[in-house]
């Protein structure tokens, strides 16, 4: 009989698992999901309790055949995909394709890929978790219901190729609302007054305290001082003229700070973004590598961290005690606490997982440096330090606060020194580091006592202005999503990538801002689906998914409740959503051509533009931009140039016009004749030999340059087809998903390699390898 088969999700894990149990078991990988909903239709039978229709993913039949061959006549199959909802779905679908009379399936959860953890999990298998699978399936159905019914609405009302997502659209809404708040912000002037002081009689020669220190004006009597303008500041300076400065009150206390808990997924992403300048996506890719295993000298990979998708701050008592032992040895007994520090979880849905921690505490970053690349080492060090610091003693900080009287006014000053660094000797979070820098920038205070006379050196008035709310960085957007219960930490990286890939937002100097398309689509969705794409509604739905997993609510009840409201809004939107192809959005500006009509924003295949609402009586159109307040500013069109070519359809002269990817030819008989052509013949540029992937197009991809000189690859039938990509296409079909071509990628870390441009595939191929390898 065939040996029992262990099935994992990733091929990388196979070697790690075989290292510890390979003699007694066969080990194989599903290479991700093997089944999913169909690509070309919704795949949900709404009328029959939202029954999903799964099918084998393109390119996965070979994987399934290999799994069946590896299973042979084995009586026991151990399903060990990742220990989360997606892994549970893979386990269920794998069990379905390998179902056989007399065969038993066991669910194995590898929370870390070390010898002890693997053998322990194999010794205590569990049944498949129906509730966790229901939660994953409910999320998949909800996403499909929204995406496959709202997206076609956008195609009709705005333009083809757009998409809406149950969670991604809420993320875009958050970014748009922040941008509108920035645009609406009006700065307000205010002033501050700072006194430079020193103890009367000079500094104490027995201390290293500064000769002078700064104190800020805070109150007049019991009322906090507000200084709106220079006149008010000058008036106060006049009242302070000749005042005597004395110490009114000295408060000395010791602040004790606890360390932060070990990382959960969202906190790891935020910290890696801020400290390491990694993207959320890059962080998760590297964390996956550390979890799945890296060869550290034993000849086979070993998992270096626990599972990296978790909402739990819980850690095992064994790991905590190992950390305390290391702390006593490397830092001294005064840095260790008597017993492990326990952190309370806010959300119990994922409490089966531990926090993200090193699997072996004694694997210090310095010890592993020779085996890890720079990015892996940086992330591992972050995880290791955060975990060890979580079990270290409190930091003790001496803080002095002084109140200084000057007539009716009071000034304040504060300073601090570290009495005992505790956990701060090893690790400070990005936010803690910023707070510490601010503390260190505070003036160190000389020894002062109540009633002590002070000498005034100068009073400094300064003008300030209030600042608008900041745009979101990747880190602050992840924090915003987390705090509002939008999505789950395991999905944040995908959300952030998707909203950029769809063209709804862009990043400038590390901060998100909406594109014009993003504003338009968001405004239409909010106007027609205010609840469905609302923060509170989405958060409640995420909570319901957690409750499904915890067996507290039935998944069908959640789906029915959602669809009852969604279907009504969908029907109303189909009738009432404003058409950006037809009516458009009025901007309150008169048409400069006819003077009678009003300009409306419309969307065509080349993007958004302004047009007169009296069309076809007035055919005025132009591009536009927005000022810092979001107001529309028309860009007067340049004079159209008549080319030397005639329209092949009606014989009229062709005009040179400016489009999304540069100049093109358009018939002067528009709108009666809407023929367009490339300015340089058949598409212009250099042929790549790769066909355009848009169904029914028939064009070829050509190498071209944008208006800024950057190389891109666009369809030869532009502007009839505006398909374009930045990466060079290579005429090799993807062996995993069947996409008609691969693209050439360049990174500092990996050099040049080929990858599938299909976002859901993930296939990559080194240039020195055969695609079938």
């Amino acid at each position: 009989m065939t040996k029992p088969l262990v099935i994992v999700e990733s091929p990388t894990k196979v070697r790690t698992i075989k290292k510890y149990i390979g003699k007694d078991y066969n080990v194989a990988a599903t290479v991700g999901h093997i089944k999913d909903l169909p690509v070309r239709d919704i795949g949900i039978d709404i009328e029959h309790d939202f029954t999903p229709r799964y099918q084998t993913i393109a390119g996965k039949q070979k994987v399934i055949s290999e799994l069946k061959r590896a299973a042979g006549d084995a009586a026991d199959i151990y399903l060990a995909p990742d220990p989360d909802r997606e892994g549970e779905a893979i386990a269920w679908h794998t069990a379905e394709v390998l179902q056989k009379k007399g065969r038993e399936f066991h669910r194995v959860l590898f929370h870390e890929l070390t010898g002890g953890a693997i053998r322990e999990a194999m010794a205590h298998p569990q049944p498949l978790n129906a509730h966790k699978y229901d939660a994953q399936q409910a999320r998949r159905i909800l996403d499909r219901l929204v995406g496959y019914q709202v997206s076609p609405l956008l195609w009709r009302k705005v333009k083809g190729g757009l998409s809406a997502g149950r969670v991604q659209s809420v993320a875009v809404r958050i970014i748009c609302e922040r941008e509108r708040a920035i645009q609406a912000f009006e700065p307000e002037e205010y002033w501050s007054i700072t006194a430079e002081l020193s103890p009367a009689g000079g500094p104490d020669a027995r201390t290293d305290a500064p000769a002078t220190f700064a104190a800020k004006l805070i109150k007049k009597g019991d009322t906090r001082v507000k200084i709106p303008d220079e006149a008010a500041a000058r008036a106060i300076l006049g009242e302070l003229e000749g005042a005597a400065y004395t110490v009114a009150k000295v408060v000395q206390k010791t602040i004790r700070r606890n360390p932060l808990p070990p990382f959960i997924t969202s906190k790891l992403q935020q910290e890696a973004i801020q400290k390491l300048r990694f993207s959320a996506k890059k962080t998760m890719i590297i964390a996956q590598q550390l979890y799945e295993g890296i060869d550290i000298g034993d000849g086979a990979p070993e998992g270096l961290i626990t599972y990296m998708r978790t909402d739990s701050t819980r850690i095992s008592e064994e790991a905590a005690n190992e950390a305390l032992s290391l702390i006593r040895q490397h830092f001294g007994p005064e840095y260790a606490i008597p017993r492990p520090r326990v952190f309370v979880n806010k959300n119990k849905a994922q409490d089966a997982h531990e926090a993200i921690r090193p699997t072996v505490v004694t694997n210090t970053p310095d010890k592993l440096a020779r085996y890890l690349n720079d990015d892996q080492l940086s992330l591992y060090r972050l995880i290791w330090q955060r975990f060890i610091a979580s079990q270290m003693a409190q930091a003790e900080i001496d803080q002095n606060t002084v109140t200084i009287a000057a007539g009716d006014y009071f000034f304040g000053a504060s300073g601090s020194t570290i009495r005992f660094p505790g956990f701060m000797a090893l690790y400070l979070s990005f936010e803690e580091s910023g707070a510490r820098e601010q503390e260190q920038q505070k003036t160190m205070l000389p020894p002062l006592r109540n009633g002590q006379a002070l000498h005034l050196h100068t009073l400094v008035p300064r003008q300030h202005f209030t600042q608008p709310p900041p745009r979101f960085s990747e880190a602050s957007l992840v924090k915003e999503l987390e705090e509002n219960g939008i999505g789950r930490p395991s999905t944040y990286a995908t959300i952030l990538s998707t909203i950029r890939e769809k063209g709804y937002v862009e990043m400038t100097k590390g901060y998100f801002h909406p594109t014009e398309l993003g504003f338009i689509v968001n405004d239409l969705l909010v106007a027609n689906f205010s609840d469905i794409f609302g923060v509170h509604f989405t958060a409640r739905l995420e909570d319901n998914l957690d409750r499904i997993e915890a067996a507290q609510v039935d998944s069908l009840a959640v789906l029915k409740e959602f669809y009852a409201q969604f279907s009504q809004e969908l029907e109303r939107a189909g009738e009432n959503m404003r058409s950006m192809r037809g009516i458009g959005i009025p901007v309150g500006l008169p048409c400069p051509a006819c003077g009678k009509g009003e300009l409306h924003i419309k969307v065509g295949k080349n993007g958004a533009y302004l047009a007169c609402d009296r069309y076809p009586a007035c055919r005025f159109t132009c591009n536009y931009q927005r000022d810092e307040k979001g107001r529309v500013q028309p860009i007067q069109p340049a004079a159209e140039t008549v080319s030397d070519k005639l329209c092949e359809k009606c014989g009229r002269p062709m005009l040179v016009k400016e489009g999304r990817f540069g100049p093109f030819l358009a018939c002067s008989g528009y709108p009666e004749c809407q023929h367009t052509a490339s300015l340089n013949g058949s598409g212009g540029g250099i042929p790549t030999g790769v066909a355009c992937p848009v169904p029914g197009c028939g064009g070829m991809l050509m190498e071209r340059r944008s208006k800024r000189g950057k190389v891109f690859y666009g369809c030869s039938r532009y502007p009839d087809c505006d398909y374009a990509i930045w990466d060079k296409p290579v005429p090799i079909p993807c062996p995993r998903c069947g996409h008609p071509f691969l693209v050439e990628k360049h990174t500092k870390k990996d050099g040049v390699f080929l990858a599938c441009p299909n976002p859901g595939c993930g296939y990559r191929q080194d240039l020195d390898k055969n695609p079938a390898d």
Side-chain angles (χ1 to χ4, degrees):
M1 180 176 285
T2 309
K3 289 189 290 187
L5 176 63
V6 178
I7 299 177
V8 293
E9 185 173 332
S10 166
T12 309
K13 293 182 185 177
V14 172
R15 288 179 61 204
T16 308
I17 305 299
K18 281 184 175 179
K19 174 182 176 181
Y20 298 105
I21 62 170
K23 294 181 180 179
D24 302 317
Y25 300 85
N26 291 326
V27 187
T30 65
V31 196
H33 284 273
I34 58 174
K35 286 186 175 183
D36 198 3
L37 299 173
V39 175
R40 300 192 180 279
D41 61 78
I42 192 169
I44 305 294
D45 189 344
I46 298 172
E47 301 300 324
H48 294 87
D49 292 339
F50 305 96
T51 303
R53 177 168 54 86
Y54 292 108
Q55 62 182 31
T56 301
I57 296 173
K60 285 301 181 76
Q61 192 57 55
K62 181 180 179 182
V63 172
I64 292 174
S65 297
E66 292 174 350
L67 291 175
K68 289 181 177 178
R69 180 185 57 77
D73 61 353
D76 293 286
I77 306 292
Y78 292 84
L79 301 168
D82 288 349
D84 57 13
R85 291 176 189 167
E86 294 302 315
E88 198 66 32
I90 293 171
W92 278 75
H93 293 155
T94 304
E96 288 174 358
V97 301
L98 296 182
Q99 191 70 45
K100 192 175 183 180
K101 185 177 181 180
R103 175 172 286 171
E104 291 189 28
F105 293 92
H106 314 277
R107 183 72 166 107
V108 179
L109 303 177
F110 294 144
H111 296 291
E112 57 184 85
L113 296 181
T114 58
I118 290 171
R119 286 187 283 267
E120 176 69 15
M122 291 297 296
H124 299 90
Q126 304 173 10
L128 289 165
N129 190 324
H131 300 300
K132 184 178 286 188
Y133 177 50
D134 282 349
Q136 187 276 343
Q137 186 167 254
R139 182 201 63 80
R140 193 76 183 92
I141 293 171
L142 289 168
D143 290 347
R144 183 57 69 103
L145 290 173
V146 173
Y148 273 58
Q149 295 188 86
V150 177
S151 296
L153 186 59
L154 294 177
W155 303 344
R156 296 198 307 271
K157 301 291 187 175
V158 186
K159 61 176 293 188
L162 299 181
S163 71
R166 183 180 62 84
V167 177
Q168 77 177 45
S169 295
V170 181
V172 174
R173 178 176 182 173
I174 290 172
I175 294 170
C176 287
E177 289 177 350
R178 176 59 58 89
E179 192 69 20
R180 291 255 164 80
I182 293 170
Q183 293 171 349
F185 180 81
E186 295 292 343
E188 294 183 5
E189 179 184 10
Y190 70 98
W191 285 66
S192 66
I193 296 176
T194 303
E196 186 177 339
L197 304 161
S198 64
D204 189 337
R206 296 169 297 174
T207 72
D208 58 357
T212 63
F213 66 96
K216 187 177 179 180
L217 179 62
I218 52 175
K219 290 195 301 182
K220 182 178 183 181
D222 294 327
T223 306
R224 180 165 293 275
V225 170
K226 292 184 179 180
I227 313 175
D229 51 36
E230 183 177 7
R234 295 297 175 194
I236 293 173
L237 291 176
E239 293 182 38
L240 286 168
E241 192 170 342
Y245 290 76
T246 58
V247 177
K249 186 178 182 181
V250 178
V251 177
Q252 297 178 330
K253 59 181 177 180
T254 299
I255 304 296
R256 290 176 174 83
R257 290 184 181 171
N258 281 319
L260 293 170
F263 283 123
I264 60 175
T265 305
S266 57
K267 300 303 182 189
L268 176 63
Q269 291 173 349
Q270 292 170 46
E271 196 78 346
I273 291 166
Q274 292 170 318
K275 276 195 169 183
L276 306 180
R277 297 293 185 261
F278 290 177
S279 67
K281 183 176 182 179
K282 179 177 179 179
T283 300
M284 296 307 292
I285 290 172
I286 297 172
Q288 183 94 27
Q289 295 166 358
L290 296 174
Y291 162 70
E292 291 187 345
I294 290 173
D295 186 351
I296 57 173
D298 296 334
E302 179 176 340
L304 300 182
I305 64 171
T306 53
Y307 190 55
M308 65 288 164
R309 294 187 179 95
T310 176
D311 290 337
S312 173
T313 56
R314 181 181 63 81
I315 57 173
S316 71
E317 187 173 354
E318 179 184 4
N321 282 319
E322 289 176 357
L324 289 174
S325 177
L326 181 141
I327 292 165
R328 294 186 191 100
Q329 181 180 352
H330 287 268
F331 293 90
E334 68 276 18
Y335 282 88
I337 52 181
R339 62 187 62 85
R341 183 178 281 113
V342 177
F343 298 92
V344 179
N345 282 315
K346 296 180 180 178
N347 183 358
K348 295 184 178 180
Q350 299 286 339
D351 195 52
H353 307 311
E354 285 190 62
I356 304 170
R357 61 167 177 83
T359 55
V360 180
V361 168
T362 53
N363 279 337
T364 65
D366 290 342
K367 181 179 177 181
L368 299 185
R370 59 186 291 194
Y371 304 108
L372 307 181
N373 62 39
D374 290 344
D375 288 343
Q376 291 169 342
L377 181 60
S378 295
L379 192 65
Y380 181 78
R381 176 175 283 111
L382 208 61
I383 293 168
W384 187 89
Q385 289 181 338
R386 174 87 164 221
F387 172 65
I388 299 298
S390 75
Q391 297 302 311
M392 293 178 73
Q394 295 175 323
E396 297 179 5
I397 302 169
D398 289 337
Q399 191 174 76
N400 295 336
T401 303
V402 179
T403 303
I404 298 152
D408 294 333
Y409 289 92
F410 292 93
F411 290 74
S414 62
S416 63
T417 56
I418 297 176
R419 171 180 288 192
F420 176 65
F423 73 91
M424 294 168 58
L426 176 63
Y427 176 85
L428 283 174
S429 70
F430 181 81
E431 291 183 357
E432 288 174 327
S433 298
R436 184 69 198 133
E437 287 179 8
Q438 289 182 347
E439 287 180 356
Q440 291 173 341
Q441 290 171 2
K442 290 179 181 178
T443 304
M444 184 176 175
L445 299 178
L448 298 170
R449 64 183 184 277
N450 291 342
Q452 183 174 1
L454 300 173
H455 174 66
L456 174 66
H457 292 270
T458 184
L459 284 172
V460 180
R462 288 189 178 90
Q463 183 187 42
H464 310 273
F465 290 94
T466 55
Q467 297 297 309
R471 288 189 174 97
F472 288 107
S473 64
E474 276 207 344
S476 60
L477 183 57
V478 166
K479 184 177 182 180
E480 185 80 5
L481 294 172
E482 179 188 28
E483 290 179 348
N484 285 284
I486 304 301
R488 280 292 173 260
S490 58
T491 66
Y492 294 154
T494 302
I495 293 169
L496 269 55
S497 298
T498 300
I499 59 177
R500 293 180 66 184
E501 291 167 359
K502 297 297 182 183
Y504 295 145
V505 301
E506 294 176 342
M507 290 198 81
T508 303
K509 298 181 179 179
Y511 292 93
F512 287 106
H513 62 90
T515 62
E516 189 63 23
L517 180 63
F519 269 133
I520 291 170
V521 171
N522 174 72
D523 290 349
L524 291 174
L525 292 179
V526 170
N528 293 275
F529 300 92
S530 58
D531 284 341
I532 299 299
F533 294 116
V535 169
H536 298 299
F537 185 92
T538 306
R540 185 164 61 87
L541 207 52
E542 293 291 347
D543 183 60
N544 279 336
L545 293 176
D546 288 344
R547 294 175 64 211
I548 292 171
E549 181 174 341
Q552 295 172 351
V553 67
D554 179 64
S555 61
L556 182 57
V558 171
L559 292 171
K560 286 183 175 179
E561 180 186 4
F562 168 82
Y563 200 73
Q565 179 173 348
F566 173 66
S567 59
Q568 292 178 4
E569 293 191 4
L570 184 67
E571 184 178 354
R572 285 195 296 268
E575 298 174 359
N576 302 329
M577 182 179 284
R578 186 182 297 269
S579 172
M580 298 304 298
R581 299 173 182 267
I583 299 174
I585 301 173
V587 297
L589 296 175
C591 174
C594 69
K596 299 178 182 178
E598 181 184 8
L599 295 183
H600 284 211
I601 294 175
K602 295 188 178 183
V603 177
K605 59 186 176 183
N606 295 316
Y609 64 97
L610 293 178
C612 180
D613 68 347
R614 293 183 65 246
Y615 175 87
C618 177
R619 298 175 179 171
F620 175 81
T621 62
C622 70
N623 292 326
Y624 68 94
Q625 60 187 13
R626 293 184 184 269
D627 63 15
E628 70 279 0
K629 292 297 182 183
R631 294 179 293 243
V632 170
Q633 294 181 325
I635 299 174
Q636 296 301 323
E640 293 176 339
T641 304
V642 180
S643 74
D644 58 356
K645 296 182 179 181
L646 298 178
C647 177
E648 62 185 43
K649 290 189 175 181
C650 71
R652 283 178 271 200
M654 297 290 279
L655 302 176
V656 179
K657 295 201 171 190
E658 193 70 24
R660 179 182 173 193
F661 296 115
F664 67 97
L665 295 176
C667 181
S668 58
Y670 180 86
E672 288 81 7
C673 178
Q674 300 184 20
H675 178 63
T676 59
S678 168
L679 189 62
N680 300 313
S682 61
I686 303 171
T688 64
V690 176
C692 177
V694 175
C697 171
M700 302 295 291
L701 297 186
M702 314 291 287
E703 179 182 320
R704 298 174 179 166
R705 288 190 178 273
S706 68
K707 286 183 272 188
R708 297 184 178 180
K710 186 174 180 181
V711 173
F712 71 95
Y713 302 88
C715 182
S716 59
R717 295 188 62 249
Y718 177 81
D720 291 327
C721 175
D722 61 0
Y723 178 84
I725 55 174
W726 293 112
D727 299 310
K728 181 179 180 180
V730 178
I732 300 175
C734 176
R736 179 176 295 174
C737 72
H739 193 277
F741 59 84
L742 300 176
V743 295
E744 191 175 285
K745 293 275 190 180
H746 302 255
T747 67
K748 291 182 180 179
K749 174 187 172 184
D750 300 322
V752 183
F753 60 92
L754 300 181
C756 180
N758 182 355
C761 177
Y763 174 79
R764 60 174 287 170
Q765 172 193 333
D766 295 335
L767 286 178
D768 59 349
K769 290 185 178 180
N770 187 287
D773 290 346

